[in-house]
């Protein structure tokens, strides 16, 4: 099982290449089989993963450009393990629930390529390789949004591409500059994250590099004020595109914060906590208000996604074990929940070809099963206890409470606000009289849709009741991360701050 | 009584001109073949050209002797060898474009192929000398050959392009001669190495030495303009789009990479003297030119609706990026220049090759075969062609892991390492701007349905097996480029450090 990570990365790509040979009527089955195998590979990875070990496992490396210190390095720890499993799971579910008829074959091949790049992002431990996979996600997404999207798809696709491309290129300068500093201090070129982690930087360098990385990540999160591309892209992209975008692509950047910013620039991270928290809170409150104002269901979910990403940002920059584990758990939870939400909207859109809330009403009469699934997913999104959303939100906010109770109080409005817009949307869609004649003929979910949404619902409840399976391995890695931050900090006050942030639950 | 001049054959070091001599002999051979045999098929000449170029390449690689020859006129140092290799290998690739399926006027003449070899020999002379006279002769040999080759396409646009190019080229030649004269007047030498020595020893580059300083500056400006014309630097780039549009895609692709490689080596040798002198005026002039060369054509390219014209602007902007490497002037940046240009050659060869394959006959002087609209919905008609063209466009954008990304990355890294952070940011910003116009044809090909007025368009009309195979080869090179970077870096590093850059 040495090479299982490389298999995980390149198996979908190989399958995609072979997929060109398959007849277009049989393509869906092929896609489902490949993603199921991929999911089982990911479960196998979990099986062989040593949960007591906090560091990287399954590490493999070989040089690619040795003159410039670029290597192929893959590895996985408790943080990335579950994100990889979540990716493979969501891709599988998205393909099972796929209802797109136009150009199905191309869509599935594109999805398989996309899966490769996504797993690659989370498994890469070489920064240049990470960057390569990170940028490669743009091409399939550009195609999915631009070809299968709605009317304004060209504009949306190009806007999406340009925004994220700009951010990541600035990050590239940061990466190259870091490599140069590494070369100056050690005399060797290297872009390996593990080796970078041994380097302790002075504060002003950390400051600028943190900003460079921040721009790359912030555009994709997306953080206020770089968020404008996301609702547009979501609104225009097809169901499967939204599912992947919300569930996985948005998680790459918060993962980037945890993996790169925190451990490489501990002092700058502590310095920027307030700034990040303010951005996070603006996202939470402002985006929730925008979400309430939306008439288009999909746009609403898109804004609510940005709002929840604010909570994740807060969790990450709580800089303690609870906050970071909570953020990672919320990333997984939000991935599943927002994926499920977009699939639900996809179900409605397939039947009625509209996403406007006002076009529906009283659907609970003829779609009882769907109404049940939808409310469970909605509750999870709001963060009701015993659902997957609660655990992550609670832990993130608990972690941040240590930094500032007042800000945490404002941030916890997220639960109230999301309850307002989610429930009012639910009421207008499902309750009341079944007035519109077009809605009367709508069938309840069945078959593939039921399998896809049903398994998501089960997972939402199961992980909400027993999150320990995920949290325990996660905690080990996160504990190690916070220790590394403390050791690497150059300023004494940073260390003090980190120590005080990490004292939840300790005896006074 | 005058002393009799005694020259031994040894002192000439004939090995230094052997590679060029082979190319010239090949050209003469082709002309002779044509005299005695009328109407031979173009494939004969194409293969002959390829053969002579391969022979040329091997002679060059086998060369190992004193690097100076012919009374110090010739200088076969590391960068000369390296750039000659790039020029020759690139030219071997480009000559296969002549084996097109459709028949074109120029390929019926053997002279076209002879001129091709003369042009290559001219470039080789340009890069292997540090005497301004020999550089000038090489430059003119190659330029005159190219003007003729463009005009031989025998359409009104081509003749217009050739005349435009010729006029601009003549102006550049005049600038070159005038600049050389100025510098000769000040330093008493036309050899760059001696010139550098005299300039620095006698302090000609300080403002106190006012009269001479002004002379040096005037000389520099004229030389800069002459090189600028050849490298299509802003504001001497205006001829580029029209000339590219007038010439065939095969020729335009050739023009966009091979002559510029020779130009960069001349620029490298020439600017090196001044960049290390830390003269504020010259530094500013170079910096501003580099920045504008990257930015202005990029902004103009946003407005284009024709792929070939867009690629013309993009190649100007790319030349600006490579020029940035010369401006930075460190060892790493010189390596970056060559790496960038090798990868750019591969990519541009592929991109223009795809256009060349899709050229039809159904257009006149006013219209173009490469408008965006014509390519709309190509992904549905011919997914493979569309994917290949899109891949080359993504490569030009600088998306990893395709070839040009590594060149751009190394270039930005060399800028960052030399503390030119501002320049690095400008390069990055330009990559983003260029991403927009590269995405436009891609969005036409992949995201739209075919236009009704172009329903009848046939694609790959010009595709013969040899062209398809060379383009396919570059596709493979582009995809696996990540494995090529390491050996390439080692080779470039070796040659560049051999010649002390």
């Amino acid at each position: 099982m040495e090479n299982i990570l490389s298999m995980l990365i390149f198996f979908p790509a190989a399958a995609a290449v072979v997929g060109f040979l398959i007849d277009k009527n049989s393509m869906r089955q092929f896609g489902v089989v490949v993603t199921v195998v991929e999911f089982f590979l990911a479960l196998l990875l979990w099986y062989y993963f040593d949960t007591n070990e906090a560091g990287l496992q399954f590490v493999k490396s070989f040089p690619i450009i040795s003159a410039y210190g670029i290597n192929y390095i893959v590895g996985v720890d408790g943080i990335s393990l579950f994100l990889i499993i979540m990716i493979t799971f969501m891709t599988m579910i998205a393909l099972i629930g796929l209802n797109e008829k136009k150009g199905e074959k191309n869509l599935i091949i594109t999805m398989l390529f996309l899966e490769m790049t996504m797993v690659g992002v989370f498994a890469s431990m070489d920064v240049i390789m990470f960057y390569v996979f990170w940028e490669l996600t743009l091409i399939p997404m550009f195609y999915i949004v631009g070809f299968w999207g709605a009317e304004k798809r060209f504009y949306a696709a190009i806007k999406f591409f340009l925004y994220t491309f700009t951010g990541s290129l600035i990050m590239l300068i940061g990466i190259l500059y870091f490599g140069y500093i590494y070369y100056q201090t050690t005399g060797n070129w290297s872009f390996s994250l593990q080796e970078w982690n041994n380097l302790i930087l002075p504060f002003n360098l950390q400051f600028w590099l943190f900003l460079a990385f921040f721009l790359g990540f912030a555009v994709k999160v997306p953080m206020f004020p770089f968020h404008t591309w996301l609702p547009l892209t979501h609104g225009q992209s097809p169901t499967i595109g939204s599912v992947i975008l919300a569930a996985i692509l948005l998680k790459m950047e918060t993962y980037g914060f945890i993996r790169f910013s925190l451990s490489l620039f501990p002092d700058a991270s502590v310095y920027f906590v307030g700034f990040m928290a303010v951005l996070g809170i603006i996202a939470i409150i402002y985006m929730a208000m925008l979400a309430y104002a939306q008439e288009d269901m999909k746009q609403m979910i898109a804004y609510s996604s940005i709002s929840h990403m604010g909570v994740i940002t807060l969790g990450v920059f709580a800089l303690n074990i609870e906050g970071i584990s909570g953020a990672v758990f919320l990333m997984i939870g939000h991935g599943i929940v927002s994926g499920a939400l977009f699939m639900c909207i996809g179900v409605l859109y397939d039947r009625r070809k509209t996403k406007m809330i006002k076009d529906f009403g009283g659907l609970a009469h003829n779609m009882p099963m769907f109404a049940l699934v939808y409310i469970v997913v909605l509750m999870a999104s709001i963060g009701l206890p015993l659902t997957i959303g609660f655990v992550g939100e609670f832990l993130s906010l608990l972690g941040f409470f240590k930094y500032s109770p007042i800000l945490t109080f404002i941030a916890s409005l997220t639960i109230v606000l999301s309850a307002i817009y989610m429930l009012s949307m639910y009421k207008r869609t499902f309750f009341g009289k079944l007035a519109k004649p077009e809605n009367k003929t709508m069938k309840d979910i069945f078959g593939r849709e039921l399998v896809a949404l049903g398994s998501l619902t089960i997972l939402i409840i199961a992980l909400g009741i027993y999150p320990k399976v995920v949290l325990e391995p996660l905690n080990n890695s996160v504990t190690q991360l916070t220790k590394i931050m403390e050791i690497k900090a150059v300023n004494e006050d940073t260390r003090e701050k980190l120590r005080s942030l990490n004292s939840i639950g300790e005896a006074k | 009584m005058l002393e009799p001049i005694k020259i031994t054959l040894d002192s000439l070091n004939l090995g230094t001109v052997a590679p060029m001599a082979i190319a010239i002999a090949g050209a003469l051979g082709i002309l002779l073949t044509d005299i005695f045999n009328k109407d031979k098929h173009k494939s004969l000449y194409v293969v002959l050209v390829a053969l002579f170029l391969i022979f040329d390449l091997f002679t060059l690689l086998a060369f190992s002797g004193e690097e100076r020859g012919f009374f110090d006129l010739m200088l076969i140092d590391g960068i000369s060898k390296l750039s000659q290799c790039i020029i020759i290998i690139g030219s071997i690739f480009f000559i296969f474009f002549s084996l097109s399926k459709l028949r074109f006027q120029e390929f019926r003449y053997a002279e076209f192929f002879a001129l091709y070899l003369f042009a290559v020999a001219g470039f080789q002379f340009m890069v292997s000398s540090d005497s301004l006279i020999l550089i000038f002769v090489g430059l003119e040999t190659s330029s005159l050959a190219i003007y003729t080759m463009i005009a031989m396409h025998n359409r009104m646009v081509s003749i217009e392009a050739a005349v435009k190019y010729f006029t601009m080229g003549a102006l550049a030649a005049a600038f070159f001669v005038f600049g050389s004269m100025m510098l000769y007047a000040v330093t008493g030498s036309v050899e760059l190495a001696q010139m550098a020595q005299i300039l620095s020893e006698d302090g000609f580059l300080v403002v106190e030495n006012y009269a001479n300083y002004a002379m040096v500056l005037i000389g520099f400006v004229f030389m800069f303009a002459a090189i600028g014309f050849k490298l299509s630097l802003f504001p001497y780039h205006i001829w580029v789009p029209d000339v590219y549009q007038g010439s065939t895609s095969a020729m335009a692709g050739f023009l966009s990479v091979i002559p510029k490689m020779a130009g960069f080596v001349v620029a490298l040798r020439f600017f090196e003297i001044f960049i290390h002198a830390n003269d504020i005026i010259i530094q500013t002039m170079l910096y501003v030119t580099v920045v504008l060369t990257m930015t202005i054509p990029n902004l103009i390219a946003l407005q284009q609706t024709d792929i070939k014209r867009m690629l013309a602007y993009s190649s100007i902007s790319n030349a600006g990026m490579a020029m940035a490497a010369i401006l930075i002037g460190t060892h790493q940046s010189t390596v970056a220049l060559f790496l960038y240009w090798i990868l750019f050659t591969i990519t541009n060869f592929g991109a223009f090759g795809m256009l060349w394959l899709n050229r039809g006959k159904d257009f006149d002087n006013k219209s173009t075969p490469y408008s965006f609209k014509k390519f709309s919905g190509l992904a549905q008609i011919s997914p493979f062609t569309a994917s290949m063209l899109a891949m080359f466009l993504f490569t030009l954008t600088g998306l990893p892991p395709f070839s040009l990304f590594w060149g751009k990355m190394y270039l930005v890294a060399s800028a960052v390492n030399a503390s030119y952070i501002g320049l690095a940011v400008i390069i990055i910003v330009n990559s983003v701007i260029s991403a927009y116009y590269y995405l436009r044809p891609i969005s036409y090909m992949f995201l739209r349905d075919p236009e009704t007025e172009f329903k009848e368009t046939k694609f790959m009309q010009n595709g013969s097996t040899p062209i398809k195979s060379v383009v396919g080869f570059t596709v493979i090179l582009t995809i696996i480029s990540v494995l090529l970077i390491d050996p390439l870096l080692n080779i470039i590093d070796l040659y560049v450090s051999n010649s002390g850059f």
Side-chain angles (χ1 to χ4, degrees):
Chain A
M1 283 299 120
E2 287 278 274
N3 289 319
I4 187 166
L5 267 177
S6 304
M7 274 162 68
L8 258 176
I9 298 175
F10 293 109
F11 173 67
V17 173
V18 183
F20 278 108
L21 301 174
I22 292 168
D23 183 72
K24 61 173 180 286
N25 293 325
S26 320
M27 197 59 200
R28 236 179 61 84
Q29 285 68 23
F30 177 72
V32 171
V33 170
V34 170
T35 46
V36 168
V37 172
E38 175 83 357
F39 178 56
F40 276 103
L41 265 178
L43 289 182
L44 208 61
L45 180 75
W46 189 8
Y47 178 76
Y48 283 105
F49 185 85
D50 182 0
T51 42
N52 297 319
E53 163 84 44
L56 287 176
Q57 301 181 30
F58 307 101
V59 179
K60 271 274 146 193
S61 75
F62 66 84
I64 303 177
I65 302 176
S66 44
Y68 198 45
I70 297 172
N71 299 297
Y72 172 87
I73 306 176
V74 288
V76 66
D77 66 357
I79 299 172
S80 49
L81 171 72
F82 293 102
L83 288 166
I84 290 176
I85 296 174
M86 196 264 290
I87 293 167
T88 54
F89 179 72
M90 287 310 293
T91 318
M92 178 179 79
I93 294 292
L95 278 188
I96 289 176
L98 181 67
N99 252 338
E100 191 71 51
K101 289 287 168 286
K102 172 181 154 197
E104 200 182 29
K105 182 174 169 181
N106 290 358
L107 179 59
I108 285 170
I109 290 174
T110 316
M111 279 298 295
L112 292 178
F113 272 119
L114 188 58
E115 187 168 18
M116 167 193 88
T117 61
M118 292 185 303
V119 177
V121 166
F122 289 95
S124 303
M125 287 298 144
D126 182 276
V127 187
I128 294 289
M129 208 180 115
F130 169 83
Y131 181 80
V132 167
F133 281 118
W134 167 281
E135 287 286 62
L136 258 186
T137 54
L138 293 185
I139 301 178
M141 262 327 273
F142 174 75
Y143 187 35
I144 290 179
V145 175
F147 188 74
W148 287 276
E151 319 80 58
K152 272 163 57 187
R153 58 179 191 268
F154 307 125
Y155 177 62
I158 287 180
K159 189 169 181 180
F160 159 74
F161 193 101
L162 290 183
Y163 257 73
T164 47
F165 191 56
T166 317
S168 11
L169 278 173
I170 291 170
M171 182 172 76
L172 180 65
I173 295 187
I175 292 175
L176 293 174
Y177 194 64
F178 200 116
Y180 178 58
I181 293 167
Y182 186 86
Y183 172 71
Q184 279 198 320
T185 9
T186 63
N188 296 315
W189 286 109
S190 172
F191 286 93
S192 152
L193 188 60
Q194 281 162 299
E195 279 168 28
W196 278 18
N197 265 332
N198 299 329
L199 202 66
I200 294 173
L201 298 177
F203 179 74
N204 64 334
L205 271 181
Q206 285 192 27
F207 179 86
W208 289 109
L209 286 171
F210 182 91
L211 276 184
F213 277 74
F214 166 77
L215 276 173
F217 296 139
V219 172
K220 268 201 179 183
V221 166
M223 275 182 188
F224 177 84
F226 306 110
H227 65 275
T228 53
W229 62 271
L230 185 78
L232 180 75
T233 311
H234 265 311
Q236 302 303 315
S237 84
T239 306
I240 191 164
S242 301
V243 171
I244 296 298
L245 188 62
I248 303 165
L249 291 186
L250 299 190
K251 307 300 174 289
M252 288 175 9
E253 351 345 282
T254 36
Y255 169 78
F257 275 126
I258 297 174
R259 182 65 85 204
F260 297 95
S261 303
L262 294 193
S263 61
L264 293 178
F265 323 117
D267 295 278
S269 302
V270 171
Y271 179 79
F272 277 109
V273 168
F275 174 68
M276 300 299 285
V278 170
L279 283 188
I281 286 172
I282 291 177
I284 292 171
I285 307 289
Y286 177 54
M287 295 304 148
M289 284 156 75
L290 286 182
Y292 185 65
Q294 297 304 312
E295 281 299 313
D296 185 321
M297 245 186 249
K298 215 167 173 187
Q299 300 267 30
M300 196 200 89
I301 306 293
Y303 280 110
S304 101
S305 272
I306 309 177
S307 171
H308 282 108
M309 293 311 285
V311 183
I312 298 181
T313 314
L314 277 189
V316 171
F317 283 89
L319 301 179
N320 48 28
I321 303 169
E322 289 74 18
I324 299 173
S325 319
V328 176
F329 195 85
L330 187 56
M331 276 154 75
I332 297 166
H334 180 255
I336 294 170
V337 171
S338 63
L341 278 173
F342 280 115
M343 286 189 78
C344 288
I345 294 168
V347 166
L348 289 178
Y349 184 74
D350 284 338
R351 286 168 172 63
R352 274 292 316 274
K353 300 292 167 214
T354 170
K355 293 173 296 194
M356 293 296 153
I357 301 175
K358 63 175 188 306
D359 289 336
F360 299 101
L363 290 183
H365 293 287
N366 56 351
M367 303 175 82
M369 196 65 195
F370 182 60
L372 176 68
V373 169
Y374 206 138
I375 192 76
V376 172
V377 177
L378 273 189
M379 287 305 169
S381 178
I382 294 166
L384 196 76
L386 291 186
T387 61
I388 196 166
F390 172 73
V391 184
E393 263 176 33
F394 176 74
L395 283 174
S396 300
L397 293 175
L398 173 68
F400 204 73
F401 191 78
K402 192 75 197 176
Y403 179 78
S404 156
I406 300 167
L407 289 181
T408 314
F409 173 74
I410 302 173
S412 60
L413 284 177
T414 173
I415 300 186
V416 183
L417 289 172
S418 57
I420 296 173
Y421 60 78
M422 288 287 185
L423 291 181
S424 77
M425 186 265 277
Y426 191 79
K427 180 187 137 228
R428 288 165 65 193
T429 319
F430 285 91
F431 295 151
K433 284 214 182 69
L434 192 54
K436 301 224 169 54
E438 307 95 312
N439 291 340
K440 285 188 179 138
T441 53
M442 284 172 74
K443 282 204 197 76
D444 205 356
I445 47 170
F446 62 97
R448 291 206 315 268
E449 289 165 350
L450 190 61
V451 173
L453 284 175
S455 45
L456 286 173
T457 316
I458 293 169
L459 202 66
I460 285 170
I461 295 174
L463 279 179
I465 294 174
Y466 193 70
K468 205 176 159 209
V469 265
V470 176
L471 278 178
E472 209 168 56
L474 194 57
N475 270 339
N476 285 331
S477 297
V478 173
T479 314
Q480 201 199 18
L481 175 71
T482 50
K483 280 199 189 112
I484 289 176
M485 283 182 72
E486 205 176 310
I487 293 164
K488 280 187 67 188
V490 282
N491 293 346
E492 199 42 55
D493 3 336
T494 311
R495 229 168 266 172
E496 206 108 303
K497 187 90 198 165
L498 280 172
R499 238 173 268 141
S500 72
L501 284 174
N502 267 301
S503 55
I504 298 177
E506 276 173 23
K508 290 275 148 58
Chain B
M1 201 181 104
L2 279 174
E3 192 82 356
I5 303 170
K6 277 193 200 147
I7 307 159
T8 56
L9 207 53
D10 274 353
S11 71
L12 283 182
N13 197 1
L14 283 177
T16 50
V17 288
M20 301 78 165
I22 287 166
I24 294 172
L28 295 175
I30 287 175
L31 287 179
L32 285 175
T33 319
D34 182 53
I35 290 174
F36 294 113
N37 308 281
K38 284 285 165 221
D39 296 330
K40 287 288 154 200
H41 190 250
K42 63 184 174 189
S43 56
L44 168 70
Y45 299 119
V46 170
V47 172
L48 276 179
V49 169
L51 211 59
F52 276 107
L53 285 178
I54 291 169
F55 192 19
D56 187 351
L57 181 67
F58 279 115
T59 323
L60 175 72
L61 291 176
F63 174 79
S64 64
E66 185 57 30
E67 58 179 28
R68 293 257 177 197
F70 274 88
F71 315 108
D72 286 0
L73 271 181
M74 299 294 292
L75 170 66
I76 310 273
D77 57 355
I79 56 167
S80 156
K81 277 190 197 167
L82 183 63
S83 52
Q84 284 192 61
C85 285
I86 299 171
I87 289 169
I88 296 170
I89 295 173
S91 306
I92 293 174
F93 271 98
F94 274 105
I95 196 63
F96 282 104
F97 280 166
S98 312
L99 288 172
S100 56
K101 198 171 208 168
L102 301 177
R103 298 158 61 85
F104 293 100
Q105 182 75 11
E106 65 258 52
F107 302 140
R108 287 175 42 214
Y109 298 111
E111 286 82 359
F112 180 86
F113 300 97
L115 286 171
Y116 193 83
L117 282 174
F118 280 132
V120 174
F123 295 138
Q124 282 180 278
F125 275 118
M126 254 172 99
V127 297
S128 31
S129 172
D130 72 343
S131 155
L132 289 175
I133 293 179
L134 190 60
I135 293 176
F136 181 67
V137 173
L139 188 91
E140 282 310 290
T141 316
S142 54
S143 304
L144 283 170
I146 287 175
Y147 306 145
T148 325
M149 283 156 76
I150 295 174
M152 282 171 95
H153 188 49
N154 213 12
R155 277 176 180 252
M156 280 315 285
V157 274
S158 320
I159 292 163
E160 184 199 324
V163 171
K164 219 170 232 175
Y165 195 18
F166 174 71
T167 329
M168 290 297 177
L171 194 60
F175 282 167
F176 193 96
V177 175
F178 200 69
S180 316
M181 188 193 81
M182 282 301 208
L183 292 172
Y184 180 71
V186 180
T187 62
S189 169
V190 284
E191 288 189 28
L192 291 173
Q194 286 176 21
M195 210 185 272
Q197 207 182 354
I198 295 167
L199 282 178
S200 57
E201 272 174 10
D202 297 357
F204 281 126
L205 278 170
V206 284
V207 186
E208 287 79 59
N209 201 343
Y210 184 74
N212 286 322
Y213 180 66
M215 289 273 273
V216 173
L217 268 191
I218 294 172
F220 174 82
V221 168
F222 275 109
M223 286 297 282
F224 185 41
I227 295 172
F229 268 114
K230 286 296 150 192
L231 291 177
S232 67
L233 304 180
F234 181 86
Y236 317 110
H237 70 279
I238 32 170
W239 56 273
V240 176
D242 293 334
V243 169
Y244 282 25
Q245 200 168 24
S247 33
T248 58
S249 305
M251 199 63 217
F254 182 79
L255 281 180
S256 70
V257 284
I258 308 291
K260 284 185 187 165
M261 183 72 250
F264 279 126
V265 174
V266 175
L268 199 59
R269 290 187 199 280
F270 181 74
F271 290 137
E272 205 230 352
I273 305 171
F274 297 95
I275 284 170
H276 291 289
N278 276 332
D279 183 81
I280 186 78
I281 299 180
I282 290 174
Q283 290 269 1
T284 322
M285 204 149 67
L286 274 174
Y287 200 101
V288 170
T289 309
V290 164
V291 171
L292 291 180
T293 309
M294 282 191 274
T295 318
I296 305 280
N298 255 348
L299 296 178
I300 303 174
L302 295 176
Q303 302 295 326
Q304 303 305 316
T305 52
D306 176 88
I307 300 186
K308 197 159 133 199
R309 224 175 149 80
M310 185 202 91
L311 282 179
Y313 282 108
S314 109
S315 71
I316 303 172
S317 166
N318 274 299
M321 291 198 184
M323 194 62 204
I326 294 179
L327 170 68
I328 296 163
T330 57
H331 170 74
Q332 201 196 5
S333 77
T334 312
V335 175
L337 166 71
F338 283 100
L339 183 71
Y340 190 87
W341 211 253
I342 291 172
L343 298 172
F344 183 65
T345 307
I346 296 175
T347 317
N348 239 16
F349 176 84
F352 278 101
M354 289 310 295
L355 293 186
W356 183 231
L357 283 171
N358 286 311
R359 164 161 175 154
K361 286 242 160 189
D362 47 347
F363 66 98
D364 53 31
N365 280 324
K366 294 268 159 52
S367 65
T368 152
Y370 308 117
S371 66
F372 288 169
K373 276 208 176 113
K374 197 184 142 193
F375 282 83
S376 64
L378 184 62
Q380 293 164 37
I381 304 165
S382 165
F384 210 61
T385 317
S387 315
M388 273 176 12
L389 184 51
M391 193 195 76
F392 285 121
L393 291 174
F394 274 130
T395 310
L396 285 170
T397 315
L399 225 64
F402 304 122
S403 56
L404 201 58
F405 164 72
W406 302 103
K408 227 170 228 177
M409 189 193 86
Y410 205 73
L411 181 64
V412 174
S414 72
V416 167
N417 299 354
S419 330
Y420 275 94
I421 305 279
L423 195 62
V425 173
I426 293 169
I427 293 176
I428 292 296
V429 168
N430 274 298
S431 298
V432 175
I433 300 175
S434 70
Y436 177 72
Y437 61 78
Y438 291 127
L439 281 179
R440 276 180 68 207
I442 296 173
S443 78
Y444 270 93
M445 286 190 296
F446 278 86
L447 311 185
R448 287 170 202 249
D449 295 322
E451 295 269 332
T452 39
E453 57 171 315
F454 293 107
K455 261 272 153 46
E456 260 82 79
T457 316
K458 286 198 197 70
F459 291 96
M460 302 296 266
Q461 270 190 57
N462 203 10
S464 62
T465 323
I467 305 187
K468 281 184 191 162
S469 356
V470 280
V471 173
F473 182 64
T474 49
V475 170
I476 295 169
L477 283 185
T478 309
I479 293 174
I480 62 157
S481 58
V482 59
L483 305 173
L484 303 176
I485 307 298
D486 203 26
L488 272 179
L489 274 179
N490 288 333
I491 295 168
I492 297 172
D493 198 54
L494 180 74
Y495 278 127
V496 169
S497 28
N498 268 351
S499 49
F501 279 97

